[in-house]
Amino acid sequence: MEIAPAYLPHPPSVPGWLNKGDNAWQMTAATLVALQSMPGLVILYGSIVKKKWAVNSAFMALYAFAAALILWVLVCYRMAFGDKLLPFWGKGAPALGQKYLVRQANVPMSIHHFNNGTVETPGNMPLYPMASLVYFQFTFAAITLILLAGSVLGRMNIKAWMAFVPLWLIFSYTVGAFSLWGGGFLYHWGVIDYSGGYVIHLSSGIAGFVAAYWVGPRLKSDRERFPPNNVLLMLCGAGLLWMGWSGFNGGAPYAANVDASIAVLNTNVCAATSLLVWTTLDVIYFGKPSVIGAVQGMMTGLVCITPGAGVVQSWAAMVMGILSGSIPWFTMMILHKKSTLLQKVDDTLAVFHTHAVAGLLGGALTGLLAEPTLCNLILPVTNSRGAFYGGVGGVQFLKQLVGALFVIGWNIVSTTVILLVIRLFIPLRMPDDQLLIGDDAVHGEEAYALWGDGEKYDATRHGHVSVYGDDTPSRQANGARGFTVQL
């Protein structure tokens, strides 16, 4: 019997450079990161906000995921991981052609040289096709935009958001990604950002805060009372986010190797520690544990470990968890209430605290705790180490701070310019009449087939006209409303 080409010992779809294990893990990791956004953050956003904003919040995430993918393959992937145009930016080009996507993956500018021009570290050439790398890196770009959206939920004009997503992806995200990962100046200088503490979390936190400033605040009533419409669904979304982080940090080495294993373990250790510390502080300070607080503690732990997940020891991951569960808690619960600037800017989901503060903290701690042997497994600059290990570690800590300043500065400027340009054509904030109503006014849709949330009863929206007779609402003793049907 003739054997199909796909099952031959050396089929044409399995070139000599392909490692099936690495390719399988990279596609799995990419899927895990994608699940963090779709459906993870879609569910989280749709349930953590007030009921009248559930559809709009979920749709902002859904739209960003789809729009980012198309723009990523059209131009942005190669701006972030292609040939150098500027020290902080790559040359944009499509990543759609068959010849480009089936060849061995390669990050062309990642080869690192000594000062005399000789090669110090070979460039990144993973043992799988470009298609796997393009999609894996897309999932990071998408989740960055969706995290940023958390700062402007409940009032940003959806049309302004639709314009903002492609512009920010081009002029902000690709700059950070190329500079720190794609072979840009921070990469070659030796700034450590293992899996996105700066590229993703510091960027989204700062850009989100700036966007919240320019868009303006929610309605006063929404700022004063903004309860989750479904706490259990919120936990489902948070759980998808946590479990998906194993792909987030485990896929960063571009291989199914020992560094990926260390990163996955450290990720979960730090997240669990941070959650417990945050919850403990809630109990001490407020007298009761908060479920939303536990989710925030989980988030800050995941964010904090990300820049150093594969280069710190597991005891250091626990230390980072202790600090990520306490320092962002302090900035959110104590400092925020005392700061005029933080009070003025309406950051809906406190993305500044959970991502900018935690991301900066993680990057700084990586500069202190990066372990030399683990660093040599993955970093382009040999002998990199945290200050805790002596030698050049003190310089590494300073590099981390300079890298953070570049990311912060670029995001402040680029986000401001993008929003000011959009404002010339589209109002950034919804009109007050839409803000009063929410989803029904913006999309003509509502999240749940029920009514409440301070609305007045409207039989055309909240009930069904009976064909049997009287459809007048009757008031029950417990305050519920229904229909009395005459048969």
Side-chain angles (χ1 to χ4, degrees):
M1 181 182 294
E2 187 176 351
I3 301 175
Y7 303 104
L8 293 171
H10 302 287
S13 60
V14 184
W17 47 260
L18 180 68
N19 183 301
K20 291 183 179 180
D22 284 351
N23 195 32
W25 168 238
Q26 206 64 36
M27 290 191 290
T28 300
T31 303
L32 286 169
V33 181
L35 285 170
Q36 291 182 288
S37 297
M38 288 290 299
L41 284 169
V42 170
I43 294 174
L44 180 64
Y45 283 5
S47 52
I48 201 172
V49 297
K50 205 171 185 176
K51 184 181 79 70
K52 72 174 185 177
W53 291 117
V55 172
N56 182 258
S57 301
F59 180 74
M60 287 177 70
L62 175 66
Y63 167 80
F65 190 85
L69 176 55
I70 299 305
L71 204 64
W72 190 250
V73 296
L74 285 175
V75 67
C76 287
Y77 171 75
R78 293 172 76 172
M79 293 178 76
F81 295 93
D83 296 317
K84 184 173 76 171
L85 174 65
L86 297 169
F88 54 85
W89 222 2
K91 296 178 182 178
L96 287 168
Q98 172 186 334
K99 292 182 179 179
Y100 182 80
L101 293 174
V102 301
R103 74 187 194 194
Q104 184 177 356
N106 177 29
V107 182
M109 304 311 302
S110 60
I111 184 171
H112 188 69
H113 296 88
F114 288 109
N115 291 334
N116 61 10
T118 59
V119 174
E120 179 176 2
T121 309
N124 291 323
M125 293 190 68
L127 302 177
Y128 44 75
M130 285 294 300
S132 297
L133 186 59
V134 169
Y135 185 71
F136 176 74
Q137 288 297 349
F138 149 70
T139 61
F140 284 81
I143 200 171
T144 307
L145 278 158
I146 296 171
L147 292 172
L148 189 163
S151 293
V152 292
L153 297 181
R155 84 284 198 171
M156 186 172 185
N157 186 334
I158 189 64
K159 295 176 183 177
W161 173 248
M162 293 171 75
F164 177 81
V165 166
L167 292 173
W168 193 85
L169 184 63
I170 292 172
F171 294 105
S172 187
Y173 182 82
T174 57
V175 170
F178 185 82
S179 298
L180 283 155
W181 289 344
F185 76 108
L186 293 176
Y187 173 92
H188 286 291
W189 192 39
V191 177
I192 303 173
D193 188 10
Y194 173 82
S195 190
Y198 286 174
V199 175
I200 295 170
H201 301 295
L202 185 57
S203 294
S204 62
I206 295 298
F209 189 78
V210 172
Y213 172 82
W214 288 110
V215 172
R218 290 166 288 172
L219 290 179
K220 186 173 183 290
S221 58
D222 281 352
R223 290 196 74 177
E224 292 173 347
R225 178 166 171 75
F226 205 71
N229 68 82
N230 195 318
V231 172
L232 294 181
L233 268 182
M234 177 192 74
L235 288 174
C236 289
L240 285 167
L241 201 65
W242 187 347
M243 294 303 99
W245 223 284
S246 291
F248 198 103
N249 289 345
Y254 295 157
N257 57 23
V258 295
D259 203 53
S261 301
I262 290 290
V264 170
L265 178 61
N266 286 347
T267 298
N268 288 275
V269 166
C270 186
T273 304
S274 183
L275 185 153
L276 295 175
V277 170
W278 192 292
T279 300
T280 301
L281 290 172
D282 276 349
V283 172
I284 293 171
Y285 196 78
F286 300 110
K288 61 181 70 173
S290 164
V291 177
I292 297 178
V295 170
Q296 289 168 328
M298 173 206 82
M299 184 77 72
T300 56
L302 292 167
V303 170
C304 184
I305 191 61
T306 293
V311 297
V312 301
Q313 298 188 64
S314 292
W315 63 261
M318 193 169 291
V319 171
M320 293 172 78
I322 293 171
L323 294 173
S324 66
S326 53
I327 293 177
W329 182 93
F330 174 79
T331 64
M332 185 186 298
M333 301 301 178
I334 308 298
L335 183 63
H336 186 97
K337 297 175 182 178
K338 298 180 179 180
S339 169
T340 303
L341 176 62
L342 294 177
Q343 285 284 313
K344 181 179 180 181
V345 178
D346 181 17
D347 180 359
T348 308
L349 298 186
V351 177
F352 175 80
H353 300 285
T354 56
H355 292 273
V357 173
L360 177 59
L361 175 65
L365 289 173
T366 299
L368 296 174
L369 300 171
E371 200 275 333
T373 302
L374 294 173
C375 287
N376 286 335
L377 293 177
I378 193 169
L379 298 181
V381 179
T382 55
N383 298 318
S384 296
R385 65 187 62 216
F388 181 82
Y389 294 93
V392 296
V395 175
Q396 185 64 54
F397 181 72
L398 292 176
K399 288 180 180 180
Q400 297 301 109
L401 297 182
V402 172
L405 289 174
F406 173 78
V407 171
I408 291 169
W410 187 269
N411 277 277
I412 290 173
V413 174
S414 62
T415 305
T416 296
V417 171
I418 290 168
L419 287 169
L420 291 181
V421 170
I422 293 173
R423 193 170 70 174
L424 297 174
F425 305 96
I426 307 171
L428 297 178
R429 187 172 181 267
M430 296 180 198
D432 285 353
D433 59 336
Q434 289 187 353
L435 292 175
L436 282 169
I437 298 171
D439 290 337
D440 196 26
V442 181
H443 301 282
E445 298 164 317
E446 294 184 354
Y448 303 107
L450 48 82
W451 57 278
D453 202 23
E455 300 170 281
K456 292 183 178 180
Y457 182 84
D458 180 352
T460 62
R461 295 173 58 210
H462 302 130
H464 301 281
V465 177
S466 171
V467 296
Y468 298 106
D470 184 16
D471 61 309
T472 303
S474 63
R475 297 181 182 272
Q476 308 298 327
N478 63 359
R481 300 176 186 178
F483 292 103
T484 301
V485 179
Q486 302 295 331
L487 297 177

PDB file of all heavy atoms in Angstrom, residues 238-253:
ATOM      1  N   ALA A 238     -10.654  35.588  35.059  1.00  0.00           N
ATOM      2  CA  ALA A 238      -9.370  35.682  35.757  1.00  0.00           C
ATOM      3  C   ALA A 238      -8.640  34.341  35.739  1.00  0.00           C
ATOM      4  O   ALA A 238      -7.413  34.287  35.585  1.00  0.00           O
ATOM      5  CB  ALA A 238      -9.592  36.152  37.188  1.00  0.00           C
ATOM      6  N   GLY A 239      -9.383  33.255  35.865  1.00  0.00           N
ATOM      7  CA  GLY A 239      -8.765  31.936  35.823  1.00  0.00           C
ATOM      8  C   GLY A 239      -8.151  31.624  34.469  1.00  0.00           C
ATOM      9  O   GLY A 239      -7.058  31.060  34.379  1.00  0.00           O
ATOM     10  N   LEU A 240      -8.840  32.009  33.401  1.00  0.00           N
ATOM     11  CA  LEU A 240      -8.276  31.833  32.065  1.00  0.00           C
ATOM     12  C   LEU A 240      -7.003  32.665  31.902  1.00  0.00           C
ATOM     13  O   LEU A 240      -6.028  32.227  31.268  1.00  0.00           O
ATOM     14  CB  LEU A 240      -9.309  32.226  31.011  1.00  0.00           C
ATOM     15  CG  LEU A 240     -10.442  31.230  30.773  1.00  0.00           C
ATOM     16  CD1 LEU A 240     -11.562  31.870  29.965  1.00  0.00           C
ATOM     17  CD2 LEU A 240      -9.922  29.981  30.061  1.00  0.00           C
ATOM     18  N   LEU A 241      -7.018  33.857  32.475  1.00  0.00           N
ATOM     19  CA  LEU A 241      -5.841  34.718  32.392  1.00  0.00           C
ATOM     20  C   LEU A 241      -4.660  34.068  33.111  1.00  0.00           C
ATOM     21  O   LEU A 241      -3.537  34.039  32.588  1.00  0.00           O
ATOM     22  CB  LEU A 241      -6.175  36.076  33.015  1.00  0.00           C
ATOM     23  CG  LEU A 241      -5.296  37.254  32.618  1.00  0.00           C
ATOM     24  CD1 LEU A 241      -5.443  37.568  31.146  1.00  0.00           C
ATOM     25  CD2 LEU A 241      -5.644  38.477  33.450  1.00  0.00           C
ATOM     26  N   TRP A 242      -4.904  33.550  34.310  1.00  0.00           N
ATOM     27  CA  TRP A 242      -3.832  32.934  35.090  1.00  0.00           C
ATOM     28  C   TRP A 242      -3.287  31.700  34.385  1.00  0.00           C
ATOM     29  O   TRP A 242      -2.076  31.549  34.203  1.00  0.00           O
ATOM     30  CB  TRP A 242      -4.350  32.584  36.489  1.00  0.00           C
ATOM     31  CG  TRP A 242      -3.276  32.084  37.427  1.00  0.00           C
ATOM     32  CD1 TRP A 242      -2.017  31.688  37.117  1.00  0.00           C
ATOM     33  CD2 TRP A 242      -3.397  31.935  38.850  1.00  0.00           C
ATOM     34  NE1 TRP A 242      -1.329  31.299  38.241  1.00  0.00           N
ATOM     35  CE2 TRP A 242      -2.158  31.435  39.316  1.00  0.00           C
ATOM     36  CE3 TRP A 242      -4.419  32.166  39.753  1.00  0.00           C
ATOM     37  CZ2 TRP A 242      -1.931  31.155  40.663  1.00  0.00           C
ATOM     38  CZ3 TRP A 242      -4.186  31.895  41.097  1.00  0.00           C
ATOM     39  CH2 TRP A 242      -2.961  31.403  41.557  1.00  0.00           C
ATOM     40  N   MET A 243      -4.156  30.780  33.995  1.00  0.00           N
ATOM     41  CA  MET A 243      -3.687  29.545  33.376  1.00  0.00           C
ATOM     42  C   MET A 243      -3.012  29.829  32.026  1.00  0.00           C
ATOM     43  O   MET A 243      -2.040  29.171  31.658  1.00  0.00           O
ATOM     44  CB  MET A 243      -4.864  28.591  33.178  1.00  0.00           C
ATOM     45  CG  MET A 243      -5.483  28.088  34.481  1.00  0.00           C
ATOM     46  SD  MET A 243      -4.308  27.241  35.583  1.00  0.00           S
ATOM     47  CE  MET A 243      -3.900  28.538  36.760  1.00  0.00           C
ATOM     48  N   GLY A 244      -3.512  30.813  31.311  1.00  0.00           N
ATOM     49  CA  GLY A 244      -2.901  31.154  30.028  1.00  0.00           C
ATOM     50  C   GLY A 244      -1.508  31.723  30.159  1.00  0.00           C
ATOM     51  O   GLY A 244      -0.723  31.704  29.198  1.00  0.00           O
ATOM     52  N   TRP A 245      -1.173  32.230  31.360  1.00  0.00           N
ATOM     53  CA  TRP A 245       0.144  32.844  31.559  1.00  0.00           C
ATOM     54  C   TRP A 245       1.281  31.828  31.461  1.00  0.00           C
ATOM     55  O   TRP A 245       2.438  32.196  31.253  1.00  0.00           O
ATOM     56  CB  TRP A 245       0.194  33.573  32.900  1.00  0.00           C
ATOM     57  CG  TRP A 245       0.854  34.918  32.814  1.00  0.00           C
ATOM     58  CD1 TRP A 245       2.186  35.170  32.709  1.00  0.00           C
ATOM     59  CD2 TRP A 245       0.210  36.199  32.827  1.00  0.00           C
ATOM     60  NE1 TRP A 245       2.421  36.532  32.661  1.00  0.00           N
ATOM     61  CE2 TRP A 245       1.226  37.184  32.739  1.00  0.00           C
ATOM     62  CE3 TRP A 245      -1.111  36.610  32.934  1.00  0.00           C
ATOM     63  CZ2 TRP A 245       0.944  38.555  32.743  1.00  0.00           C
ATOM     64  CZ3 TRP A 245      -1.387  37.974  32.932  1.00  0.00           C
ATOM     65  CH2 TRP A 245      -0.374  38.916  32.835  1.00  0.00           C
ATOM     66  N   SER A 246       0.952  30.547  31.586  1.00  0.00           N
ATOM     67  CA  SER A 246       1.994  29.534  31.381  1.00  0.00           C
ATOM     68  C   SER A 246       2.492  29.564  29.944  1.00  0.00           C
ATOM     69  O   SER A 246       3.674  29.326  29.669  1.00  0.00           O
ATOM     70  CB  SER A 246       1.448  28.140  31.730  1.00  0.00           C
ATOM     71  OG  SER A 246       1.226  28.025  33.120  1.00  0.00           O
ATOM     72  N   GLY A 247       1.601  29.847  28.999  1.00  0.00           N
ATOM     73  CA  GLY A 247       2.036  30.034  27.619  1.00  0.00           C
ATOM     74  C   GLY A 247       2.702  31.374  27.415  1.00  0.00           C
ATOM     75  O   GLY A 247       3.653  31.503  26.639  1.00  0.00           O
ATOM     76  N   PHE A 248       2.227  32.373  28.130  1.00  0.00           N
ATOM     77  CA  PHE A 248       2.764  33.730  28.054  1.00  0.00           C
ATOM     78  C   PHE A 248       4.258  33.722  28.371  1.00  0.00           C
ATOM     79  O   PHE A 248       5.077  34.249  27.612  1.00  0.00           O
ATOM     80  CB  PHE A 248       2.011  34.585  29.077  1.00  0.00           C
ATOM     81  CG  PHE A 248       2.097  36.061  28.879  1.00  0.00           C
ATOM     82  CD1 PHE A 248       1.029  36.763  28.331  1.00  0.00           C
ATOM     83  CD2 PHE A 248       3.209  36.779  29.273  1.00  0.00           C
ATOM     84  CE1 PHE A 248       1.077  38.139  28.175  1.00  0.00           C
ATOM     85  CE2 PHE A 248       3.276  38.151  29.120  1.00  0.00           C
ATOM     86  CZ  PHE A 248       2.208  38.832  28.565  1.00  0.00           C
ATOM     87  N   ASN A 249       4.629  33.143  29.499  1.00  0.00           N
ATOM     88  CA  ASN A 249       6.037  33.117  29.902  1.00  0.00           C
ATOM     89  C   ASN A 249       6.757  31.848  29.463  1.00  0.00           C
ATOM     90  O   ASN A 249       7.966  31.863  29.236  1.00  0.00           O
ATOM     91  CB  ASN A 249       6.152  33.265  31.422  1.00  0.00           C
ATOM     92  CG  ASN A 249       5.806  34.666  31.895  1.00  0.00           C
ATOM     93  OD1 ASN A 249       5.750  35.606  31.090  1.00  0.00           O
ATOM     94  ND2 ASN A 249       5.558  34.837  33.178  1.00  0.00           N
ATOM     95  N   GLY A 250       6.014  30.753  29.344  1.00  0.00           N
ATOM     96  CA  GLY A 250       6.648  29.506  28.924  1.00  0.00           C
ATOM     97  C   GLY A 250       7.036  29.497  27.460  1.00  0.00           C
ATOM     98  O   GLY A 250       7.923  28.738  27.051  1.00  0.00           O
ATOM     99  N   GLY A 251       6.399  30.330  26.649  1.00  0.00           N
ATOM    100  CA  GLY A 251       6.735  30.373  25.229  1.00  0.00           C
ATOM    101  C   GLY A 251       7.838  31.344  24.882  1.00  0.00           C
ATOM    102  O   GLY A 251       8.323  31.368  23.748  1.00  0.00           O
ATOM    103  N   ALA A 252       8.245  32.167  25.859  1.00  0.00           N
ATOM    104  CA  ALA A 252       9.221  33.221  25.578  1.00  0.00           C
ATOM    105  C   ALA A 252      10.590  32.724  25.108  1.00  0.00           C
ATOM    106  O   ALA A 252      11.238  33.408  24.316  1.00  0.00           O
ATOM    107  CB  ALA A 252       9.392  34.112  26.811  1.00  0.00           C
ATOM    108  N   PRO A 253      11.088  31.549  25.568  1.00  0.00           N
ATOM    109  CA  PRO A 253      12.406  31.098  25.072  1.00  0.00           C
ATOM    110  C   PRO A 253      12.389  30.612  23.633  1.00  0.00           C
ATOM    111  O   PRO A 253      13.441  30.262  23.099  1.00  0.00           O
ATOM    112  CB  PRO A 253      12.752  29.943  26.021  1.00  0.00           C
ATOM    113  CG  PRO A 253      11.848  30.071  27.185  1.00  0.00           C
ATOM    114  CD  PRO A 253      10.601  30.680  26.659  1.00  0.00           C
TER     115      PRO A 253
END
